[in-house]
Amino acid sequence: MSMTIDIPGALERLMSGGLSDMRRVRERELHVSVDRQMLPRLTGVLCGELECQLLLMTAEDRRAVTGEFCVHALFGHHRQGWFVHVTAIVPGSDPVLPSSAMSCYPASRFEREMRDLMGITPQGHPDPRPLARHGFWPDGYYPLRKDARAPTFRDEGQPFPFGEVEGVGVYEIPVGPVHAGVIEPGHFRFSALGETVIDVKQRLYYTHKGTEKLFEGRVPAAGVELAERISGDSAVGHALAFCEAAEALAGADVPRRAQLTRIVLLELERLYNHVGDFGAIIGDTGFAVAQAHCLRIRERFLRLNARVTGSRLLKGGVVLGGVACDITDGLGLAGEVSAALQDFVEVSDICLENSLVTDRLDRTGVLDTRTALDLGVRGHVARASGVNVDARRDYGRGQYEGLSFDVPVMTSGDVRARLLIRLAEAKQSAGLIRQAVQVLPSGPLSVQVGALPAFEAGFGIVEGWRGAIVHWMMADRAGRLHRVKVVDPSFLAWPALSRAMVGNIVPDFPLCNKSFNLSYSGNDL
């Protein structure tokens, strides 16, 4: 694929007049309207010939005004920074959408979610099972419809329709949803032959909170606090993606000092999480002393976070239009980060020289490049499997101008690769913080964000520490939030964890799980 491909021209040629409308709304951003019957073909062209990523798919309910649902899909071409926003109309009287699942696996996940929460049936979908829907929800209850009213729930223990385990000598091990330790709930079923795992089935959404519904009706500024609580360890990433979506819609120019401060906060969030995860993975190999040192270093970063924002998890640092904290010389931020990183590197060197550790990491939980691409995974999981993606580089809107950083990529796709990617990214994060502090200009920390235009779509994409976080939003005529769609990178990576476990032994699941470290809360919404 040429780096200089004409995306609009290629779309018109490949779709052969099948697009009802195509217009450029911003630089390198197209909006395409298409008949719902043409959506699978368009998805296949964008994800196939044009090698785009499906960043999200969602629906919004306009039946009270037009009698219709609007289905939206956002695609990105990561090598050229192009975005294609697609809209298809689905009549309220016939809420059926031809499925795109066969041409794009991520579409299958989004379509199942739309069916459960909005009541739009993906016709021809290969997997009829619910995704977000709980068994005790009554028929006809779709919580994201505007006229949805919470019914009286009656939970009688209705089972989830897992596939039956078959085969001579194959047995099933159920794990969860309640786990040992302080982690969130998720149910896993291992099909094993001896100790070798041949299949893993998942059931999530035990922490479904109606987050996207809670955004509705809020003024944009009031949505930031909700966004940063979507996944507690990604407060900056989610708040920033939300703010960037609103700022793009309003046409607000965030001051440069605020942009650089946001980068500092985002990299601080990446640092404390990568250090903690490195220790957790090493701890699961039995090297408890090394994990204790990583927890000690993580504590250094958490205390530094509190000095910068007043919150150990960096809550409240990002606000609509800018930031609520300032990076002053008295913080000594660059020096503190460099010292903590050096401490971390020394611990990591000791770990990686220990053959008892590396023997557990090598060739464990392999996710190959082709599978990672097909599943649409993002972040450190993708980069450990040879997929060279990073939203800061690929989709940045100028925030990183003048700053240099490398995107580490490995190809082995095993637990060791996911561990080493974290170490390499921690070093890059420290470098970005040093650069940002050095070039921090004087100026305001925020700007007033005006009213959002009614029923126009805006989005923000941020490379959180797990990968690309996407927030998509639309306001109503009163300027309040009409619809907010959130995509945490965990949403697309959970199926990859199941795939990576195939062929491993059952006792390696905790190690593989830690190497992914996906968010239950960010997925369940």
Side-chain angles (χ1 to χ4, degrees):
M1 181 63 64
S2 170
M3 293 294 288
T4 57
I5 187 171
D6 175 20
I7 297 289
L11 266 182
E12 288 184 335
R13 173 175 54 82
L14 292 168
M15 291 299 295
S16 304
L19 306 177
S20 56
D21 177 61
M22 182 168 65
R23 56 190 172 88
R24 188 171 301 193
V25 291
R26 298 179 186 86
E27 184 181 3
R28 291 185 175 270
E29 184 179 334
L30 293 176
H31 184 272
V32 176
S33 296
V34 65
D35 183 88
R36 60 175 167 165
Q37 300 298 331
M38 295 292 292
L39 185 57
R41 180 182 167 193
L42 178 58
T43 299
V45 166
L46 285 166
C47 293
E49 289 94 328
L50 298 185
E51 298 182 359
C52 291
Q53 297 172 306
L54 176 59
L55 299 174
L56 66 80
M57 183 182 285
T58 190
E60 39 116 0
D61 183 359
R62 290 199 213 174
R63 289 175 302 152
V65 178
T66 64
E68 301 166 329
F69 294 100
C70 295
V71 173
H72 304 274
L74 179 66
F75 300 84
H77 194 291
H78 72 274
R79 289 198 300 272
Q80 295 184 213
W82 269 97
F83 297 103
V84 180
H85 184 277
V86 178
T87 299
I89 301 300
V90 175
S93 58
D94 182 27
V96 174
L97 182 74
S99 176
S100 301
M102 298 303 290
S103 58
C104 175
Y105 176 78
S108 73
R109 299 269 291 171
F110 288 116
E111 288 174 350
R112 289 172 66 192
E113 184 184 52
M114 279 196 298
R115 177 190 59 206
D116 291 351
L117 302 181
M118 194 70 78
I120 298 175
T121 301
Q123 190 174 51
H125 196 288
D127 189 350
R129 296 175 303 162
L131 184 71
R133 189 177 185 85
H134 291 264
F136 57 85
W137 289 7
D139 292 340
Y141 174 60
Y142 304 109
L144 284 183
R145 290 187 174 187
K146 292 296 184 182
D147 57 358
R149 297 293 181 269
T152 300
F153 294 109
R154 185 180 179 87
D155 186 355
E156 297 178 343
Q158 296 90 333
F160 184 79
F162 286 104
E164 293 294 326
V165 175
E166 299 178 353
V168 177
V170 178
Y171 63 97
E172 189 174 70
I173 305 172
V175 178
V178 179
H179 300 271
V182 186
I183 67 171
E184 293 179 277
H187 183 62
F188 305 90
R189 292 194 179 195
F190 300 89
S191 297
L193 188 61
E195 278 208 319
T196 302
V197 175
I198 61 174
D199 189 26
V200 181
K201 303 179 182 68
Q202 302 174 357
R203 177 58 174 149
L204 303 174
Y205 292 90
Y206 293 96
T207 58
H208 177 69
K209 306 164 291 296
T211 302
E212 292 179 355
K213 191 72 171 180
L214 291 172
F215 277 110
E216 294 181 8
R218 295 180 181 233
V219 295
V224 182
E225 288 184 345
L226 177 57
E228 67 181 5
R229 285 160 176 79
I230 287 170
S231 183
D233 55 17
S234 301
V236 176
H238 277 285
L240 186 51
F242 176 89
C243 288
E244 286 189 1
E247 291 154 5
L249 265 180
D253 293 322
V254 176
R256 186 58 179 160
R257 187 175 182 91
Q259 286 183 354
L260 290 169
T261 302
R262 285 176 167 185
I263 289 172
V264 169
L265 298 180
L266 189 64
E267 299 309 318
L268 284 172
E269 185 166 82
R270 198 180 320 277
L271 275 166
Y272 88 76
N273 279 294
H274 279 345
V275 170
D277 275 4
F278 191 101
I281 295 168
I282 296 299
D284 268 1
T285 70
F287 200 174
V289 172
Q291 181 180 15
H293 279 287
C294 287
L295 289 172
R296 172 182 59 79
I297 298 165
R298 178 178 181 269
E299 179 65 21
R300 290 183 67 171
F301 282 115
L302 293 177
R303 293 184 183 188
L304 182 58
N305 293 347
R307 287 173 56 194
V308 174
T309 65
S311 165
R312 288 163 59 86
L313 300 184
L314 299 166
K315 287 184 170 67
V318 176
V319 296
L320 197 61
V323 291
C325 60
D326 197 8
I327 307 298
T328 61
D329 293 339
L331 287 171
L333 185 62
E336 291 276 1
V337 168
S338 295
L341 177 70
Q342 183 58 39
D343 195 354
F344 176 48
V345 170
E346 291 175 4
V347 172
S348 68
D349 287 345
I350 294 171
C351 295
L352 295 171
E353 291 171 0
N354 188 321
S355 61
L356 295 177
V357 170
T358 56
D359 284 350
R360 289 290 310 281
L361 307 179
D362 292 340
R363 299 177 299 281
T364 301
V366 174
L367 181 71
D368 64 79
T369 303
R370 183 70 261 166
T371 303
L373 285 167
D374 288 345
L375 297 181
V377 296
R378 305 168 181 176
H380 65 273
V381 175
R383 291 187 285 273
S385 295
V387 183
N388 190 354
V389 291
D390 189 302
R392 295 170 296 181
R393 178 198 62 197
D394 303 336
Y395 300 127
R397 291 169 169 165
Q399 304 95 317
Y400 290 86
E401 184 178 353
L403 305 179
S404 62
F405 64 98
D406 295 325
V407 177
V409 179
M410 300 188 70
T411 57
S412 58
D414 55 7
V415 172
R416 182 188 179 98
R418 291 187 283 275
L419 182 85
L420 293 177
I421 287 289
R422 285 173 165 88
L423 175 60
E425 289 189 0
K427 295 175 181 178
Q428 295 299 318
S429 292
L432 276 169
I433 290 171
R434 285 194 297 269
Q435 294 175 65
V437 171
Q438 287 172 0
V439 300
L440 200 64
S442 59
L445 294 174
S446 63
V447 67
Q448 189 71 29
V449 176
L452 306 188
F455 298 110
E456 290 188 19
F459 57 89
I461 302 179
V462 170
E463 185 67 23
W465 70 271
R466 284 191 179 93
I469 297 170
V470 187
H471 280 232
W472 178 99
M473 70 172 59
M474 185 176 283
D476 60 19
R477 291 189 176 88
R480 293 181 175 270
L481 296 174
H482 166 71
R483 179 79 174 94
V484 174
K485 173 63 192 157
V486 176
V487 183
D488 185 274
S490 300
F491 178 75
L492 295 173
W494 275 113
L497 173 60
S498 289
R499 184 65 188 84
M501 268 302 297
V502 174
N504 290 263
I505 60 174
V506 174
D508 275 342
F509 176 68
L511 193 60
C512 292
N513 192 18
K514 290 280 185 9
S515 74
F516 277 72
N517 192 8
L518 305 177
S519 172
Y520 294 85
S521 184
N523 176 84
D524 295 357
L525 297 178

